[in-house]
Each structure stands twice: as C-alpha cells, then as structure tokens.
C-alpha cells in the first residue's frame, strides 16, 4: 500500500494529488513517496481532532494510560522495521535508530504513568468555608511539528504528554523523513478516531495552514530558529500557546584535569553523533591551554579513524548528511573559516570514496574565533572547531558568548569548576562528564534563542495543560466585605 496520511482513524491519499519524493541520503535514490498534504487535508485533520477532544478529555486518565502503554508496546515490537525505514530516509546508523525507538517507547510509558497521577493540587483557602484548587486541564487541539533528525523521538516527546494531558493532536513530520512517521497510523490505531491525525507535507503548504488554524490551541514545534521565528510571527495575532524547541551551538569545556582517554572519544561522540545533526551536538570546543596540544592531536586522529558509510551497514560509525542544501551550509561555513585563517587538521571535504550520497568527513579545526560563523551560527554537521583558554572564567565567558543556550558540556572532576559551570552557564541542559544523555524524568529545552518551554519531565506535561484556579465556597453566605461600605 502506498504511504498515506491518517485522519479520523482512516488512511487517505490527500486532496492535493501531489507527493513528496523521499530520498535515501546515502544513495540519493528515491525510496518512496508520501502525500504532500495541503490546507484542505489540514482542515479535515483539525476538524477530526476538535470533534473528538471533549470525549478524549473526559476519558478517565487510567484508560488513557492503558492506551499509551499499548503504543509503547507496539512500538517496541516493531523496532527493527521502523528503525530500518528511518535509517533509509534519515541516514543515521541503524543502531542509533534502534536506540531512538527504545527511547520513544520509554517516553510513552513515562507519560502514561505521570499523566494518570496528576491533576493539579489543593491549596489552603482564604476562608474556612472554602475549598481552593489548582486544576490542570488540556488545551484542545495540539499541532505537533517535528524535524527530520530524530523524527520518532521528538514526536514522542510531544504526542505522549499532549495525549496524556487530554489533548488531541495533528502531527506533521518533516518532508525529509515522513515515511517512518506515517507507519504510526498502525501503532496509534487502537486510539479513538481523531485523537491523533498525521499529515505529511511541506512547511508552507501544510505547516502554515496548521499553525494558522484558529482551532489549534497549542503549537509544539521542534526545528530551526528561522522556522520558529516565522511561526511566532504568523500566530502572534492569535496569542496561542507556543512551545518552541529551536537550534543550538553547544559548547564543550575540557578542563586541565580531564582524562584524555575519556575526553577525546567523549567530545568526538558529542560532536559527531548523527553526523553532528543533533540539536545538542557539540559545535564549539574550549580546551585548557596546558593540555590542548595532546587533546587536539588525539581528537584529529580519532575523527580520522571513524568509518563513514550508509547507516544500514552495521560497521558504519557515521552516516551521511540529510540532504544537499544541508551539506552546502556546512561547506560554506568551513570554507569561510578557512578564508578567515582556520586550520583544518582533518576532514573539511566530501569523502572521495563515495560517488553518491551527501557524505561529509568529520572535520577538526583550530585557529578559530567567535567572529567566524563556524563558532557562532548553528552548523548541524560533523565539525569540531577548537579554541584554547587559560582561565576557567574565560571558558565560561566563551561558552556564554552565543545567541543560543540549549545545552553545554564539561569534562572535569574539580567540584569548584563543576559548581561554577552549572550555576553560570546559560543553557537548559548541563552535562558534566556525561555528554548528551537524556532522562525522561528531567526537562529538556533552551535558554535564549534556543526556544521557549520544556519537553520531558513534569514540565513537559505542563506545557500541554492550562491552569485553572477554582475558589469554591460551600457555605455560600453573604460576605461582610460586600456593599454597602461604612457599616
Ligand atoms: P525546519 O525548521 O526546517 O523544519 C522543522 C519542521 O517545521 C518540519 O516539519 C517542516 O516541514 C516544518 N516547517 C517548515 N516551515 C514551516 C512553516 N513556515 N510553518 C510551519 N511548519 C514549517 O528544521 P529541520 O531542518 O527539519 O530540523 C533541524 C533543526 O531543528 C535544527 O536547527 C535543530 O537544531 C533543530 N532541532 C532542535 C531540537 C530541540 O529540541 N531544540 C531538536 C532537534 C532539532
């Protein structure tokens, strides 16, 4: 069966008749097509989500939890199949996509449980005859808009809390990786029709009508800063709830006591995982001067030793970049840095052994500074630009010298540095000796232009809940402070 969109519990081919050609970034071949949904499809999807919202909101939380556990179960059972498809359309090594399936299932389990155990709180009332409550309520229809780098995980981070909180959802995957998400029609099919709808399409023709639909009450978006700004501008007149997870330029500070046996592969993994296409990829490295020569030599050798190839092959460490224009952005930044005096120690080119595929070599460079785009703009590629520092003050100032503030990393066992790092660095996630791990129970999101709101944790559930303060006077008598005054 061709890939189809999914509205009100039914497959559909979309009203536009146009399709998205989905390419394998390792071979540049077209794998398959997905419907390019348009405003008419979005209208149907939002109508279905809106119609079913009151019943879904009222459904007891325990029953919602059972259904979310079933999503996790089905996802776990189909890990291999979905991870394979995701590798073909998204390029990441298969092992990373299997991990992504595991984390996504865990996220559904986490929200199944916390969703059923929290409804708000009772607070002390101002009068003896009153009961005062803070109630958490779903908003209504949520638009979940997802990028291509972790399509299933970032879908789970939005859909699981949104549904657990009692909202209904219209989900739009990226046009680069729609196929694996469209398979989820089968994984969600036990949910009541309309509770979740999936429309594949382009940003302009599908994403914009979705965010502009007045019945959509929350936009939960992960993607680039430019698209986040565009969405915020579009919907400003509607004052709807925006939850934006945007770009990053994460710093990694390596202190002089770092064990290079650990720090070299750790920094390389944080920078090169998914070919550097992680929102929290390390994109700037600051090494203390006294250990810099050894660190730089070793990380250049290490980067050179990694095996590039199609993600579907088990011995591939690093797959391709998602597409041509994304690779060109990396190439432009590296070329500009080179012109400005950067020294490329390894990489800095397309690997000559591949005739096809959007591959780019892991690239280690020095002689860089913050005037260069490679140190100030998001690269989203396998680059490791390294600067040295003398004092820890300097390292913290460099880490904070960015418009972004998504995550930051540190290698040290010096507790004084650790405390300064987590108190002074302006970022939503701070990793000390533990690059890039996630924890469903802990919030994830950015400072500054990396976005607003948090995913995961209790904060991630609250993003999908409105807050009501209920004052209930059960005696209901006349109040002495009413009119007339002066008596
Ligand atoms: P993108 O902004 O191009 O696209 C993201 C999604 O938005 C896609 O589904 C796309 O179709 C849709 N879209 C595009 N234009 C739109 C519009 N005008 N209206 C509505 N929807 C629109 O981003 P991308 O290239 O897919 O993803 C890479 C970016 O995502 C990077 O900047 C990365 O840092 C960021 N990202 C952030 C996080 C995080 O948690 N902060 C996680 C992963 C990726």
């Amino acid at each position: 069966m061709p890939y189809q969109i999914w509205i009100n519990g039914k497959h559909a081919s979309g009203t536009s008749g146009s399709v998205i050609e989905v390419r394998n970034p390792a071979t540049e071949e077209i794998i398959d097509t997905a419907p390019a949904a348009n405003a008419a499809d979005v209208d149907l999807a939002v109508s279905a989500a809106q119609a079913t919202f009151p019943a879904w909101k009222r459904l007891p939380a325990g029953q919602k939890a059972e259904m979310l556990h079933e999503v996790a179960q089905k996802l776990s059972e189909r890990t291999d199949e979905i991870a394979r498809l995701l590798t073909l359309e998204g390029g990441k090594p298969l092992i990373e996509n299997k991990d992504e399936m595991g984390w996504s299932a865990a996220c559904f389990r986490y929200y199944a449980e916390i969703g059923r155990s929290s409804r708000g709180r009772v607070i002390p009332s101002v009068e003896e005859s009153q009961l005062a409550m803070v109630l958490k309520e779903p908003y209504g229809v949520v638009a979940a808009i997802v990028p291509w780098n972790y399509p299933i995980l970032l879908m789970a981070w939005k859909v699981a809390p949104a549904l657990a909180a009692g909202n209904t959802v219209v989900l739009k995957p990226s046009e680069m990786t729609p196929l694996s998400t469209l398979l989820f029609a089968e994984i969600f099919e036990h949910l009541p029709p309309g509770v979740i709808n999936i429309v594949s399409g382009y940003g302009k023709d599908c994403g914009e009508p979705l965010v502009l639909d007045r019945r959509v009450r929350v936009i939960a978006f992960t993607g680039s800063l430019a698209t986040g700004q565009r969405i915020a501008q579009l919907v400003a007149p509607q004052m709807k709830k925006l939850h934006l997870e945007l770009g990053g330029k994460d710093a990694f500070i390596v202190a002089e006591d770092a064990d290079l046996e650990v720090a070299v592969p750790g920094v390389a993994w944080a920078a090169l995982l998914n070919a550097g296409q992680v929102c929290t990829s390390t994109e700037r490295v600051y090494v203390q001067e006294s250990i810099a020569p050894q660190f730089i030599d070793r990380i250049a050798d290490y980067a050179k030793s990694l095996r590039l190839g199609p993600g579907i092959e088990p011995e591939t460490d690093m797959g391709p970049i998602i597409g041509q224009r994304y690779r060109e952005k990396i190439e432009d930044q590296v070329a500009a840095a080179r012109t400005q005096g950067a020294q490329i120690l390894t990489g800095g080119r397309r690997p000559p052994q591949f005739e096809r595929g959007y591959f780019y070599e892991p690239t280690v460079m020095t002689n860089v500074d913050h005037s260069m785009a490679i140190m100030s703009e998001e690269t989203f590629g396998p680059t490791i630009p390294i600067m040295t520092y003398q004092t820890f003050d300097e390292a913290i100032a460099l880490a904070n010298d960015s418009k972004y503030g998504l995550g930051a990393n540190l290698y040290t066992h010096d507790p004084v540095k650790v405390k300064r790092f987590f108190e002074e660095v302006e970022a939503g996630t701070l990793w000390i000796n533990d690059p890039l791990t996630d924890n469903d129970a802990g919030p994830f999101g950015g400072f500054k232009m990396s976005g607003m709101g948090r995913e995961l944790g209790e904060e991630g559930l609250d993003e999908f809940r409105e807050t009501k303060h209920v004052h209930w006077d059960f005696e209901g008598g006349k109040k002495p402070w009413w009119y007339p005054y002066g008596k």
Side-chain angles (χ1 to χ4, degrees):
M1 190 170 83
Y3 287 92
Q4 291 187 310
I5 56 176
W6 199 56
I7 297 174
N8 207 20
K10 293 194 192 73
H11 281 104
S13 44
T15 54
S16 75
S18 322
V19 293
I20 302 167
E21 291 182 336
V22 183
R23 279 177 202 276
N24 179 340
T27 61
E28 303 179 31
E29 284 159 2
I30 294 170
I31 309 164
D32 215 317
T33 61
N38 62 12
D41 301 312
V42 167
D43 181 55
L44 292 172
V46 176
S47 297
Q50 172 86 345
T52 199
F53 169 63
W56 179 250
K57 175 185 172 183
R58 281 196 307 271
L59 191 76
Q63 290 182 38
K64 292 192 189 89
E66 293 296 321
M67 290 186 203
L68 294 181
H69 276 300
E70 195 173 334
V71 168
Q73 183 58 30
K74 287 187 186 166
L75 170 49
S76 301
E77 285 162 9
R78 294 181 68 175
T79 289
D80 288 351
E81 174 199 359
I82 301 172
R84 236 187 126 68
L85 182 59
L86 187 51
T87 299
L88 293 178
E89 65 178 348
K92 292 206 287 297
L94 188 55
I95 185 168
E96 292 178 20
N97 283 325
K98 286 186 181 173
D99 283 346
E100 182 172 343
M101 296 312 124
W103 302 329
S104 307
C107 177
F108 275 98
R109 289 192 193 99
Y110 173 75
Y111 281 112
E113 287 309 311
I114 71 160
R116 78 157 141 212
S117 56
S118 132
R119 177 80 196 338
R121 63 191 198 276
V122 176
I123 57 172
S125 53
V126 289
E127 294 284 309
E128 213 184 312
S129 60
Q130 292 174 339
L131 182 66
M133 294 175 287
V134 179
L135 292 187
K136 297 290 184 173
E137 306 244 307
Y139 281 86
V141 180
V142 170
I145 303 181
V146 180
W148 47 263
N149 63 339
Y150 287 88
I152 306 305
L153 184 67
L154 298 173
M155 174 277 285
W157 287 10
K158 294 170 176 40
V159 170
L163 296 183
N167 303 278
T168 55
V169 176
V170 177
L171 165 65
K172 193 198 94 56
S174 164
E175 59 274 28
M176 312 294 284
T177 54
L179 303 178
S180 47
T181 304
L182 290 173
L183 277 191
F184 273 73
E186 292 160 28
I187 287 179
F188 292 135
E189 77 188 345
H190 60 282
L191 294 165
V195 164
I196 174 150
N197 308 275
I198 311 174
V199 285
S200 51
Y202 292 100
K204 182 122 195 63
D205 301 335
C206 178
E208 292 201 3
L210 179 57
V211 298
L212 282 168
D213 192 308
R214 289 190 174 271
R215 296 167 296 174
V216 169
R217 300 285 300 278
V218 181
I219 298 166
F221 169 82
T222 300
S224 61
L225 171 60
T227 308
Q229 287 170 323
R230 165 91 184 141
I231 290 173
Q233 274 170 351
L234 281 175
V235 305
Q238 295 184 23
M239 285 296 162
K240 59 178 70 169
K241 160 98 178 173
L242 277 180
H243 179 183
L244 303 175
E245 295 286 346
L246 308 176
K249 190 75 192 168
D250 286 13
F252 207 132
I253 301 176
V254 184
E256 60 268 43
D257 70 312
D259 174 359
L260 295 191
E261 279 299 308
V262 176
V264 166
V267 172
W269 188 76
L272 303 176
L273 175 69
N274 191 10
Q277 303 168 110
V278 185
C279 51
T280 50
S281 287
T282 287
E283 296 214 351
R284 306 177 279 148
V285 180
Y286 304 103
V287 190
Q288 210 280 336
E289 218 170 53
S290 61
I291 57 161
Q294 307 93 290
F295 177 87
I296 291 167
D297 278 357
R298 285 170 74 162
I299 201 162
D301 286 346
Y302 186 84
K304 213 179 293 176
S305 74
L306 297 178
R307 297 158 305 177
L308 270 64
I312 211 75
E313 288 172 11
E315 308 224 313
T316 291
D317 296 317
M318 206 181 94
I321 305 303
I322 187 72
Q324 177 66 1
R325 76 186 161 91
Y326 294 85
R327 180 168 62 174
E328 283 169 3
K329 180 181 172 195
I330 302 163
E331 289 174 331
D332 288 350
Q333 286 192 8
V334 172
R338 202 182 244 138
T339 309
Q340 289 173 268
Q343 193 187 353
I344 314 288
L345 302 180
T346 186
R349 58 173 192 173
R350 301 179 183 190
Q353 66 271 34
F354 298 110
E355 278 176 20
R356 319 248 0 227
Y358 309 114
F359 292 96
Y360 193 77
E361 288 187 353
T363 300
V364 177
M365 60 177 89
T366 54
N367 284 4
V368 291
D369 62 46
H370 284 201
S371 70
M372 300 175 183
I374 200 89
M375 291 300 277
S376 60
E377 298 298 328
E378 187 177 55
T379 309
F380 233 53
T383 51
I384 311 183
I386 308 172
M387 281 175 72
T388 60
Y389 67 88
Q390 288 179 332
T391 64
F392 202 64
D393 281 346
E394 213 185 312
I396 287 183
L398 285 164
N400 282 336
D401 180 27
S402 171
K403 65 184 171 199
Y404 292 112
L406 195 52
N409 279 278
L410 170 66
Y411 263 123
T412 192
H413 289 294
D414 175 346
V416 176
K417 289 195 176 79
V418 169
K419 181 168 181 290
R420 288 200 56 197
F421 174 76
F422 68 66
E423 285 185 349
E424 294 175 37
V425 172
E426 299 162 342
T429 306
L430 288 311
W431 287 283
I432 299 124
N433 303 328
D434 181 28
L436 266 54
T437 46
D438 289 323
N439 176 349
D440 289 327
F444 180 94
F447 279 36
K448 299 191 265 184
M449 294 187 97
S450 289
M452 47 176 92
R454 292 290 181 275
E455 302 199 285
L456 298 182
E458 289 173 18
E459 291 84 351
L461 184 65
D462 258 351
E463 295 290 345
F464 295 101
R465 305 196 295 186
E466 267 290 17
T467 302
K468 264 184 192 162
H469 182 177
V470 180
H471 301 246
W472 175 19
D473 190 314
F474 38 84
E475 286 178 3
K478 265 190 183 170
K479 306 293 180 199
W481 55 84
W482 292 352
Y483 301 128
Y485 293 153
K487 291 212 166 171

